[in-house]
Amino acid sequence: EAQVTQNPRYLITVTGKKLTVTCSQNMNHEYMSWYRQDPGLGLRQIYYSMNVEVTDKGDVPEGYKVSRKEKRNFPLILESPSPNQTSLYFCASSLSRGRGWGTEAFFGQGTRLTVV
Amino acid sequence: DAKTTQPPSMDCAEGRAANLPCNHSTISGNEYVYWYRQIHSQGPQYIIHGLKNNETNEMASLIITEDRKSSTLILPHATLRDTAVYYCIVRAGNTPLVFGKGTRLSVIA
């Protein structure tokens, strides 16, 4: 079954304690991205990756790191989490067919993170 | 900023067609119209997309006006499980998906 898998689904942590949220896709997609969703602010892109070893900032990258060492995995790293990073996080992946092609994105089930 | 305008909410009776409008008057020639939905706090789900022709799949139909400045997503027989926030997004190639506030569709029994 084609899917994007995030782990963990729920996480409560303390300020400053480094954490990693994993994301894995089984569709051989080149393009992967991370979003956060907050009430009243909607879904905002944090980082994205066009392919292995290629990453770029989205709209709200501050406080986050990513890496893309393998095509299937795109972990989100919070080096020193703060309470304002409490949010619902989604990973997404899609094929990359270049400009002019429409492609659908698949989203993971989400990770609800609380930083206290 | 999102390039689309959608009504904040709509109601639809169960079993009836749900017609969700979207305005995208500044759409460029290489931009597609995408529709996604998000049920409660689940990950957004792709519904359909199109460039200029009308499209239909097992979930919905997408009607794009000839000037491409607006479109309508049609759920032919809405069920309670279609209650969700529906997002209309215009996007070229693999540029980031930019989600606006969407339309909250409530399907009523």
Side-chain angles (χ1 to χ4, degrees):
Chain A
E1 180 189 353
Q3 60 185 6
V4 177
T5 303
Q6 295 178 226
N7 279 297
R9 294 287 312 280
Y10 302 91
L11 179 61
I12 301 175
T13 190
V14 296
T15 299
K17 184 177 181 182
K18 180 179 179 180
L19 66 92
T20 299
V21 184
T22 64
C23 174
S24 179
Q25 49 92 6
N26 63 359
M27 296 166 279
N28 202 36
H29 286 167
E30 296 90 354
Y31 189 94
M32 297 185 74
S33 59
W34 276 102
Y35 290 82
R36 62 177 288 175
Q37 186 170 31
D38 304 288
L41 296 175
L43 282 148
R44 296 177 292 168
Q45 192 180 56
I46 303 170
Y47 267 95
Y48 64 95
S49 169
M50 297 291 284
N51 214 324
V52 176
E53 301 292 0
V54 180
T55 63
D56 210 344
K57 297 177 180 178
D59 296 324
V60 288
E62 294 79 20
Y64 304 94
K65 285 176 58 178
V66 292
S67 69
R68 188 88 182 276
K69 294 184 171 55
E70 311 166 272
K71 200 171 189 180
R72 64 182 294 129
N73 296 322
F74 190 45
L76 180 69
I77 303 156
L78 285 72
E79 295 269 6
S80 183
S82 62
N84 65 12
Q85 292 179 297
T86 292
S87 187
L88 179 58
Y89 292 86
F90 292 104
C91 178
S93 76
S94 62
L95 286 170
S96 178
R97 292 180 179 158
R99 300 183 71 81
W101 286 87
T103 59
E104 64 179 284
F106 293 80
F107 283 78
Q109 294 174 294
T111 296
R112 189 169 293 280
L113 172 66
T114 301
V115 183
V116 298
Chain B
D1 290 337
K3 302 178 185 179
T4 62
T5 303
Q6 300 177 250
S9 64
M10 293 181 64
D11 292 338
C12 177
E14 189 178 21
R16 304 296 295 269
N19 296 278
L20 291 91
C22 179
N23 285 322
H24 33 80
S25 59
T26 61
I27 192 170
S28 300
N30 65 341
E31 287 181 316
Y32 287 75
V33 179
Y34 285 79
W35 284 84
Y36 283 79
R37 73 180 182 183
Q38 188 174 23
I39 297 172
H40 194 45
S41 293
Q42 298 177 21
Q45 177 189 23
Y46 166 83
I47 301 173
I48 198 167
H49 74 278
L51 185 62
K52 50 185 175 182
N53 297 323
N54 297 337
E55 302 287 345
T56 295
N57 63 20
E58 64 279 2
M59 289 183 68
S61 294
L62 173 60
I63 309 297
I64 303 174
T65 58
E66 194 168 339
D67 63 8
R68 302 212 320 128
K69 292 184 177 181
S70 66
S71 60
T72 301
L73 178 74
I74 301 172
L75 307 179
H77 305 286
T79 70
L80 298 178
R81 287 177 294 180
D82 292 320
T83 293
V85 178
Y86 287 77
Y87 298 98
C88 170
I89 301 168
V90 296
R91 173 190 186 221
N94 265 324
T95 55
L97 282 168
V98 177
F99 289 83
K101 296 189 186 304
T103 296
R104 184 172 297 277
L105 175 68
S106 298
V107 180
I108 303 165

